[in-house]
Amino acid sequence: MPKDGGIGASSKRREDVRFLTGEGNYTDDINIRGQAHVFFLRSDVAHGALKGVDTSDAAGMPGVIRIFTGADFEAVGGMPCGWQVTDKHGQPMQEPRHPILAHEKVRHVGEPIAAVVAETLEQARDAAEAISVDIDELPAVVDMKAAVASDDVKVHDDLTSNLCYDWGFVEENKAATDAAFEKAAHVTTLELVNNRLVANPMEPRVAVGDYARGTDDHTLYTTSQNPHVIRLLMGAFVLGIPEHKLRVVAPDVGGGFGTKIFHYQEEAFVTFAAKACNRPVKWTSSRSEAFMSDAHGRDHVTKIELALDAQNNFTAVRTETFANMGAYLSTFAPSVPTWLHGTLMAGNYKTPLVYVNVKAVFTNTVPVDAYRGAGRPEATFQLERVIDKAARELNVDPVELRRQNFIREFPYATPVAVEYDTGDYDATMDKVLEISDREGFAARRAESEAKGKLRGFGINCFIEACGIAPSNLVGQLGARAGLYESATVRVNATGGLVVMTGSHSHGQGHETAFPQVVAEMIGIDESMIEVVHGDTATAPMGMGTYGSRSIAVGGSAMVRATEKIIAKAKKIASHLLEASEGDIELKDGAFSVAGTDKSVAWGDVTLAAYVPHNYPLEDIEPGLEETAFYDPSNFTYPAGAYSCEVEVDPATGEVTIERFASADDFGNVINPMIVEGQVHGGIAQGIGQALLENCAYDENGQLLSASYMDYTMPRADNLPPMDHYVVDHSCQTPCTHNPLGVKGCGEAGAIGSPPTVINAIIDALQSGGHKVDHIDMPATPSRVWSAIHG
Amino acid sequence: MYNFDVEMPGSVADAVSAMGREEAQALGGGQTLIPTLKQRLASPSVLVSLSKISEMKGVCTGEDGALCIGGATVHAAVAKDGFAGLAGLASRIGDPAVRARGTIGGSLANNDPSACYPAAALGCGATIVTNSREIAADDYFQGMFDTALEEGEIITEVRFPVPEVSRYEKFVQPASRFALVGVFVARFSEGVRVAVTGASEDGVFRWAEAEAALSQAFSENAVDGLSVPADGMISDLHGSAAYRAHLVGVMTKRAVANAA
Ligand SMILES: Cc1cc2nc3c(=O)[nH]c(=O)nc-3n(C[C@H](O)[C@H](O)[C@H](O)COP(=O)(O)OP(=O)(O)OC[C@H]3O[C@@H](n4cnc5c(N)ncnc54)[C@H](O)[C@@H]3O)c2cc1C
C-alpha cells in the first residue's frame, strides 16, 4: 500500500500550485519603487586590447542615470574563485584577475565592457548603442591543445601560459600505473570529447540591487542556488560589505542545473550601482545574453586507456584530459575536472591502479563550470565508453565484462582517494536487464532490420559522489568554503512549524519533501510544516543546493534540528505528564508514558512551550526553536545501471531512442514521485547531451550556437516513448553515515545516460557491419551519417 | 525594439497607400519580423499590419482550378484546406502557435533558405500575385532572402496549380526544425516538378535531373543513381554540403514513395 504521507509517500508537490498558476515570485517579478535598469554592453569580439570606451555621447541621452566602465571598478575586488587546485608539482594553479567590467582587454564574446543605468531598459539600450568602444582585435585561441602547445596567443598576458594547472592524480600511483600498462595482456584506447553545453534553465538570470541610504543596508535579489555563498563571496571578496549589512534573497528560481551556483559580475554590479546611483537597479538577462554569459558546462577532450590482464580483469586506467576553463575562472571551475572527476575514475570497478592527468586551459570562450553532474558525467563517459570498446575488441559481452570487475565488498577504498560506503552493483545490473527486457532485444532488432533500420542495445554503469561534502576533506582539497548544511526548526505555539533550511529549491520540490521527513519524525500531518529558504535574513548560514546534496546534507541538518526539538518537547511532556523523561514516547503526534494510557498531544506540548504557565522554567527555557549544522563524514555514492535501445536510420543517420531503462540505487527514498521526476529530467538532459546539444565556437571565438535556432534543446519527442521508459529505484542500499540513509538523486540521470546512448548507437552501427568505434557527442544525424560513410 | 507606428488597414488599397509612408514595412504574422525587431536588427518606422485585410485571407478554388490562398492566410488554414502535399507541409511548420499566426505571404516574402513554402511554390509552379502584378514562381525566387518583390510590394495571393499527387518531405535541422533539406515533389499531367529547400546557398531550386527521370517513371527507383553536386550546398554546424546533397536524394525518394 503506498503511504499517503511521511517518508516514502508520493506527496503531491505543493509548490506546483503557485508555479502552475502563475503565482510564483521570481526575481524578475520583483520591482522596487524607483527602480532603474541596467543594460550591459558586451564584447562582440573574442579577444582584443581595449583601447578606450567613449561614453560622452551616450551619457547625455534621455533617461541615462550613469554609465560605468572598467575604470569605475579599479578599487573593487575581482570576481573570486572558490577553489584552488594544486598542480602535480605542488604549485598553486594560475589564477587570473577577473574584473567586473572588462579592463584593458576583452577575453570572450559576451564579456561586459560597459553598463548603462537608465530610467528604462530601452533607454539604457539606446544609450549603449551610442557608446563607442575602441578595440584592437587580437587573434583568439579557442582550441585547448593549441592554447597549451603555444604561447603565441595568451588569454592573460600576466600569466606564464594558458595552462591553469597540470594536475596528476594520484601522482604517487603514476609509475605503478605505467608499469601495469607495460604488463597488460590487452590495452584499449579511446580519444573522446565531452561536448560543451549551455545549461539553459527556463528562467534566465536576474539580479536586482537595492540600497537603503538611511541604514546603509544592501539587498541583492538574485537567481541563485546558494544565496549565503553569494553573500559571503560578494560581500567579503568583491565589494567589501560586511554580511550583517548585506542581505541576499534568491526567491523562486526557475531551474539552475549548476549555472546559478556561481557568483556573477552582474550581481556585484547591481549591488554596487544601487549604492552609487542611490537607486534600485535591475538586470534581467535576455536569452541571447544567457548563451554568452552563463557559465557553460563540460568541454573536456580526453584520451583514456584501459589495461586488462589475460582473464579480462581491469588492471589499470590512465587518462589525459584537457579541460576548458574559458577565459576566466568561474567560482568553482577548477574543482570540476579534478576533485569531482578524478575521484570517480574507478567507477563501479575494482581496478587497482588509476592515474588521471588533467590540464586545465584558458581559452577565449565563456567560462566553464559545474553543470548537472559536474565532472562525474565526464568520468563516467570515458570509463564506460572505453569498457564498451574493450568488450568489443575482446569479443565478450559488455554486461559480463562489467560484472566481472564489479566491486562487491564495502566499504571499498578506491585508488582515487574516496571510500564507497555501500552499494550493490549486481542488483542494479540485474534490475536494468529485467526492466529493459534484454531477452526480447534480438526479436526487436530483427523487426527494425526488416524496416531497413539498425537497432542497438547500450548498457552502462555509473557511480557518483554526492551529498558534497565533508568540510575538512574539501578544505584539504582546495575548497575555500565549508560544505555543511544548516536548518532551523521553529515550532509555533499551536503546533505548526517552519523549517528554515540553507538548502535552496529551484525546482527540486524541497517544500514538499522536507516536510515529509519532519512529519514522519513527529507523527503530524505534512500540512503543519512549512519550508522557508532562499533568504539570508531568515535561514541560517547554509551552502545551498548542488551536487545532489539537499536531502543528504540539508535534510540531515533538518533531522538533527528536529531531534533537538523532540528531545526538548519530551522534557516538557514529562513535566506535563508527571513522568520521568526516559519513559516518554513520541508516536503519531502524541507523547505518552510507556506502559500507561497517559498522553499529551503534540499541540499541548508546543502550547506549553510558549504559554509556560505549567512549565519547568527552572530547568528549561520556554520556546521551541532549534538550529543544527550538519557536516557529513563522507560523500554519498548513488550508483546504478542504465540501458537504452536506439534505432538508426542508415539513410539519414537519424537516431531515435526506442526504449530506455534506469535502475538507480539512491538508498532510501523520501518521495518516489519527486525522485522519478528528477531522474526523468536528468535523463532528458543526458539524452540532450548525447544526441542534440552542442555549444560550438568558430576559430575566431565567435559563438556559433548562440540561440535556439542553432542550439538544440531536447524536446518531448526526442525522449523515449513513455511506455518504454522505465525509471526504477527499488534497489536500495541505504547510505551508512547520514541519518536518513539517503544518497541524492538530482544528477544521476544526467551522469548515467550519455554513455548509455552512445554505447547503443555504436552497437547499432556495428550490427550493420559499420566498423565505427566511437562517435563524439552530440551524435547528430550528420555525424552518424558521416561515421557510417567513413 | 525601437519605437514604431502601427497601421491596421482593412483593404489592399489602404495597405498599399500605408506602405507609401517612409520606412514602412509589411507585418504578416510577425513570426519572423517581431523577433528581428526585438533584437534591434530592423528599424521600420511604420508597421503595416496585413492581418485585418479580409480579402487577403482564406483558401478557395479559382476558375482555372488553381488553389488560391490569400497572402495573409495563416499556416493552420492551409494545413486544413490545402491539397495533400501542401497541407502536409503547412502542418509541419513550427508549432501550433507559429501556425496560428505565420502567413504564406510572410514566408514567401522572407524567402528564408530553410523555409518550407518556397519548395511548394516552386515545386508546383505557383503564381505569386501582388498588389501590382503576377510573378511566376520560377522568376520569383532569386537567392537567399532575395525575391522579385519591389520595395513596398505586397503579396496578396498565391495560386497553386493542383497536382495529381504531391508530397513534401522535410528533414529537420535539429535545433530550429526548419528544413535542413526539404523536397517538394508534385506530379502533373504534363510532368513532375521537384523543388529543394534548405540545401543550397542559392536558396530554393528545382532539381531538373530528378524531374526528368520522374516524369518518365514516377517511382522511387527512378531517382536511383541521381545526385545533386555538393558544390554550392550549405555547410554548417548541422551538416556538411555532402550530407545535404545526399539528403536531397533520400528526401526526394521518400516524397515520391509517400506522394498522395
Ligand atoms: C518557432 C518558429 C518555428 C518556425 N518553423 C518554421 C518551419 O519549420 N518552416 C518554415 O518555413 N517556417 C518556419 N517558421 C517561420 C514562419 O513560417 C513564419 O511565419 C514565416 O517565415 C513568416 O511569416 P509571417 O507571416 O510571420 O511574416 P512576418 O514575420 O510578419 O514578416 C516576414 C517578412 O515578410 C514581409 N511580409 C509579411 N507579409 C507580407 C506580404 N503579404 N507581402 C509582402 N511582404 C510581406 C515582412 O515585411 C517581413 O519582411 C518558424 C517560425 C518560428 C517563430
Side-chain angles (χ1 to χ4, degrees):
Chain A
M1 253 291 278
K3 290 177 75 177
D4 58 6
I7 292 176
S10 283
S11 301
K12 292 240 167 66
R13 286 169 37 114
R14 55 171 85 170
E15 46 270 77
D16 285 349
V17 175
R18 69 176 191 279
F19 294 157
L20 297 177
T21 58
E23 305 266 308
N25 183 36
Y26 295 91
T27 309
D28 193 50
D29 294 322
I30 293 169
N31 292 299
I32 304 170
R33 234 181 104 193
Q35 165 181 290
H37 298 264
V38 59
F39 182 83
F40 289 96
L41 179 66
R42 296 179 184 274
S43 179
D44 55 8
V45 303
H47 195 195
L50 192 53
K51 296 285 183 207
V53 183
D54 182 355
T55 60
S56 50
D57 287 348
M61 287 183 58
V64 173
I65 295 166
R66 191 170 155 186
I67 301 177
F68 296 80
T69 65
D72 291 299
F73 290 89
E74 273 172 45
V76 168
M79 302 306 293
C81 180
W83 202 297
Q84 178 180 296
V85 165
T86 303
D87 76 5
K88 65 184 186 188
H89 309 294
Q91 296 302 310
M93 66 187 188
Q94 297 205 77
E95 201 171 342
R97 196 176 143 79
H98 187 180
I100 292 177
L101 296 177
H103 193 54
E104 291 172 356
K105 234 182 154 188
V106 289
R107 297 186 175 86
H108 68 84
V109 167
E111 182 170 4
I113 294 173
V116 182
V117 178
E119 298 295 338
T120 70
L121 181 58
E122 290 300 310
Q123 287 171 334
R125 214 171 154 180
D126 287 341
E129 286 179 5
I131 295 176
S132 108
V133 180
D134 182 8
I135 295 182
D136 268 358
E137 198 172 345
L138 298 167
V141 61
V142 175
D143 181 75
M144 287 189 275
K145 290 184 181 171
V148 173
S150 141
D151 286 341
D152 288 354
V153 181
K154 269 191 2 186
V155 179
H156 296 277
D157 303 312
D158 49 342
L159 301 187
T160 59
S161 68
N162 292 318
L163 193 59
C164 175
Y165 54 75
D166 186 354
W167 186 73
F169 184 65
V170 174
E171 200 57 33
E172 293 72 41
N173 287 350
K174 184 171 189 309
T177 306
D178 291 344
F181 273 90
E182 295 289 316
K183 284 203 312 232
H186 184 85
V187 174
T188 297
T189 304
L190 188 60
E191 294 191 28
L192 41 78
V193 173
N194 204 290
N195 43 326
R196 181 186 275 243
L197 304 176
V198 182
N200 277 306
M202 202 182 288
E203 176 206 29
R205 290 188 296 117
V206 184
V208 187
D210 193 17
Y211 176 68
R213 194 161 56 176
T215 56
D216 193 33
D217 284 323
H218 300 259
T219 305
L220 169 67
Y221 300 89
T222 183
T223 48
S224 176
Q225 302 177 213
N226 30 245
H228 283 96
V229 176
I230 302 304
R231 186 181 65 169
L232 179 63
L233 290 175
M234 183 177 81
F237 298 103
V238 187
L239 299 179
I241 305 169
E243 283 162 282
H244 64 282
K245 285 293 173 192
L246 174 58
R247 175 180 169 208
V248 177
V249 186
D252 285 333
V253 173
F257 311 115
T259 206
K260 290 177 183 166
I261 298 171
F262 323 120
H263 179 35
Y264 287 95
Q265 291 108 304
E266 295 88 351
E267 295 171 318
F269 178 84
V270 298
T271 309
F272 181 87
K275 181 172 182 179
C277 302
N278 197 29
R279 292 278 295 269
V281 176
K282 181 176 202 169
W283 172 70
T284 299
S285 173
S286 67
R287 187 59 67 180
S288 308
E289 280 181 289
F291 272 100
M292 54 183 169
S293 70
D294 289 5
H296 294 169
R298 315 279 194 260
D299 205 351
H300 288 191
V301 174
T302 295
K303 177 179 173 191
I304 179 167
E305 298 163 286
L306 173 67
L308 302 95
D309 67 15
Q311 287 73 48
N312 295 342
N313 297 308
F314 303 161
T315 56
V317 167
R318 186 164 62 188
T319 71
E320 182 189 28
T321 287
F322 290 81
N324 209 333
M325 295 286 103
Y328 298 99
L329 291 178
S330 173
T331 313
F332 291 110
S335 68
V336 175
T338 51
W339 300 107
L340 293 175
H341 160 253
T343 49
L344 275 302
M345 283 310 302
N348 310 53
Y349 312 102
K350 50 186 193 239
T351 320
L353 288 163
V354 176
Y355 178 74
V356 177
N357 173 249
V358 178
K359 296 175 180 70
V361 186
F362 294 112
T363 60
N364 292 115
T365 62
V366 169
V368 181
D369 205 327
Y371 166 69
R372 201 170 193 169
R376 291 149 290 168
E378 294 90 320
T380 305
F381 187 69
Q382 298 161 40
L383 196 58
E384 294 294 321
R385 286 289 305 118
V386 81
I387 292 171
D388 235 54
K389 187 174 178 216
R392 200 169 304 284
E393 288 173 354
L394 296 164
N395 200 22
V396 296
D397 180 357
V399 171
E400 291 316 313
L401 183 61
R402 287 177 167 87
R403 269 196 208 276
Q404 175 183 344
N405 287 283
F406 274 163
I407 295 161
R408 292 200 173 80
E409 279 162 26
F410 296 91
Y412 177 82
T414 72
V416 274
V418 289
E419 184 176 280
Y420 303 161
D421 59 338
T422 177
D424 184 347
Y425 309 144
D426 288 296
T428 46
M429 179 63 94
D430 291 343
K431 177 55 81 177
V432 83
L433 293 177
E434 173 203 323
I435 60 181
S436 65
D437 182 31
R438 194 192 194 208
E439 301 271 292
F441 172 69
R444 293 191 294 273
R445 171 174 275 175
E447 273 173 42
S448 297
E449 287 173 352
K451 293 185 295 180
K453 303 280 180 68
L454 301 171
R455 198 177 184 102
F457 184 90
I459 191 84
N460 182 58
C461 297
F462 75 95
I463 180 151
E464 42 173 335
C466 291
I468 50 177
S471 294
N472 54 4
L473 177 65
V474 296
Q476 286 166 29
L477 304 183
R480 290 165 169 163
L483 282 170
Y484 51 83
E485 201 43 88
S486 65
T488 293
V489 176
R490 176 178 297 163
V491 184
N492 296 320
T494 54
L497 60 91
V498 177
V499 177
M500 285 160 273
T501 169
S503 295
H504 185 277
S505 186
H506 29 282
Q508 292 87 345
H510 297 171
E511 292 169 38
T512 302
F514 279 36
Q516 290 180 246
V517 174
V518 177
E520 181 86 26
M521 290 176 74
I522 302 176
I524 55 177
D525 197 78
E526 284 163 39
S527 63
M528 293 173 69
I529 302 152
E530 190 81 12
V531 170
V532 169
H533 64 90
D535 186 345
T536 59
T538 51
M541 172 83 178
M543 299 311 292
T545 287
Y546 38 82
S548 307
R549 69 193 301 273
S550 296
I551 200 72
V553 192
S556 296
M558 175 180 68
V559 168
R560 292 284 183 253
T562 307
E563 285 168 355
K564 292 185 191 177
I565 292 283
I566 291 172
K568 183 170 178 185
K570 279 187 174 171
K571 284 201 172 78
I572 302 169
S574 79
H575 175 88
L576 297 176
L577 292 164
E578 296 172 339
S580 103
E581 199 188 318
D583 291 338
I584 303 294
E585 291 172 349
L586 170 61
K587 193 165 178 286
D588 296 335
F591 296 90
S592 57
V593 183
T596 75
D597 58 3
K598 282 172 52 178
S599 76
V600 282
W602 166 254
D604 296 329
V605 172
T606 61
L607 191 63
Y610 289 97
V611 188
H613 296 162
N614 173 18
Y615 195 87
L617 284 168
E618 53 291 352
D619 296 329
I620 47 175
E621 296 168 9
L624 205 47
E625 174 166 329
E626 299 287 350
T627 294
F629 287 79
Y630 178 83
D631 206 312
S633 60
N634 192 356
F635 295 91
T636 64
Y637 299 95
Y642 285 16
S643 76
C644 171
E645 265 178 59
V646 297
E647 222 174 49
V648 177
D649 181 347
T652 61
E654 192 174 22
V655 176
T656 52
I657 299 199
E658 299 296 320
R659 300 168 85 95
F660 201 102
S662 64
D664 283 295
D665 176 357
F666 294 133
N668 294 332
V669 163
I670 308 297
N671 181 319
M673 178 196 70
I674 287 180
V675 165
E676 286 155 25
Q678 288 287 313
V679 178
H680 280 138
I683 291 174
Q685 282 179 312
I687 288 174
Q689 170 162 32
L691 295 182
L692 307 163
E693 298 185 44
N694 191 29
C695 177
Y697 281 92
D698 73 7
E699 67 279 6
N700 300 319
Q702 290 295 331
L703 189 54
L704 297 175
S705 51
S707 78
Y708 292 138
M709 291 301 277
D710 288 298
Y711 188 92
T712 315
M713 293 297 285
R715 292 154 157 106
D717 62 2
N718 296 121
L719 303 178
M722 285 314 280
D723 47 345
H724 294 305
Y725 188 5
V726 190
V727 164
D728 180 276
H729 46 76
S730 64
C731 302
Q732 300 180 348
T733 59
C735 170
T736 58
H737 54 80
N738 65 41
L740 290 166
V742 293
K743 295 183 177 178
C745 68
E747 296 161 294
I751 296 171
S753 53
T756 319
V757 174
I758 301 297
N759 288 347
I761 295 172
I762 299 300
D763 186 53
L765 296 183
Q766 291 272 349
S767 78
H770 306 292
K771 299 279 166 249
V772 178
D773 282 330
H774 181 66
I775 288 186
D776 275 325
M777 302 185 290
T780 58
S782 112
R783 283 190 179 169
V784 173
W785 181 80
S786 303
I788 291 175
H789 295 274
Chain B
M1 250 185 221
Y2 299 104
N3 284 338
F4 51 80
D5 288 344
V6 179
E7 295 248 18
M8 286 273 193
S11 69
V12 172
D14 287 350
V16 169
S17 71
M19 288 293 289
R21 285 180 59 179
E22 202 161 316
E23 288 178 57
Q25 187 168 5
L27 175 68
Q31 297 302 294
T32 297
L33 186 52
I34 300 287
T36 312
L37 296 177
K38 281 188 175 172
Q39 290 192 290
R40 296 189 158 199
L41 296 174
S43 51
S45 52
V46 194
L47 286 185
V48 179
S49 170
L50 307 176
S51 58
K52 291 276 182 291
I53 305 177
S54 47
E55 59 185 297
M56 274 179 64
K57 294 207 279 198
V59 180
C60 65
T61 302
E63 281 163 17
D64 57 353
L67 192 74
C68 303
I69 303 175
T73 307
V74 296
H75 309 329
V78 178
K80 197 165 129 279
D81 295 329
F83 52 85
L86 192 62
L89 174 149
S91 70
R92 288 192 67 201
I93 293 177
D95 49 43
V98 171
R99 294 193 289 274
R101 294 221 60 105
T103 66
I104 188 168
S107 179
L108 292 176
N110 197 46
N111 192 21
D112 187 305
S114 307
C116 301
Y117 268 126
L122 191 62
C124 292
T127 302
I128 318 301
V129 182
T130 75
N131 54 298
S132 56
R133 58 186 170 143
E134 298 187 358
I135 312 169
D138 284 312
D139 303 324
Y140 176 82
F141 299 103
Q142 305 196 338
M144 280 196 186
F145 297 107
D146 200 5
T147 69
L149 290 180
E150 301 287 345
E151 188 80 33
E153 200 170 353
I154 296 170
I155 298 175
T156 53
E157 189 176 87
V158 187
R159 289 194 200 129
F160 287 87
V162 178
E164 295 165 358
V165 293
S166 61
R167 175 75 181 182
Y168 177 65
E169 284 290 336
K170 173 182 181 183
F171 194 82
V172 298
Q173 191 261 53
S176 70
R177 296 201 174 177
F178 276 63
L180 188 74
V181 169
V183 176
F184 198 97
V185 170
R187 193 184 78 201
F188 296 92
S189 53
E190 44 298 9
V192 175
R193 289 174 70 109
V194 178
V196 180
T197 188
S200 167
E201 287 175 341
D202 295 329
V204 67
F205 69 95
R206 283 173 69 183
W207 186 13
E209 241 185 318
E211 289 184 352
L214 287 166
S215 298
Q216 290 283 315
F218 193 73
S219 83
E220 268 186 87
N221 302 342
V223 189
D224 278 342
L226 302 185
S227 60
V228 294
D231 238 25
M233 293 286 136
I234 298 170
S235 186
D236 63 12
L237 208 52
H238 307 286
S240 63
Y243 181 57
R244 280 187 166 84
H246 164 79
L247 284 179
V248 171
V250 178
M251 292 300 118
T252 303
K253 283 184 162 198
R254 290 185 183 177
V256 172
N258 296 323

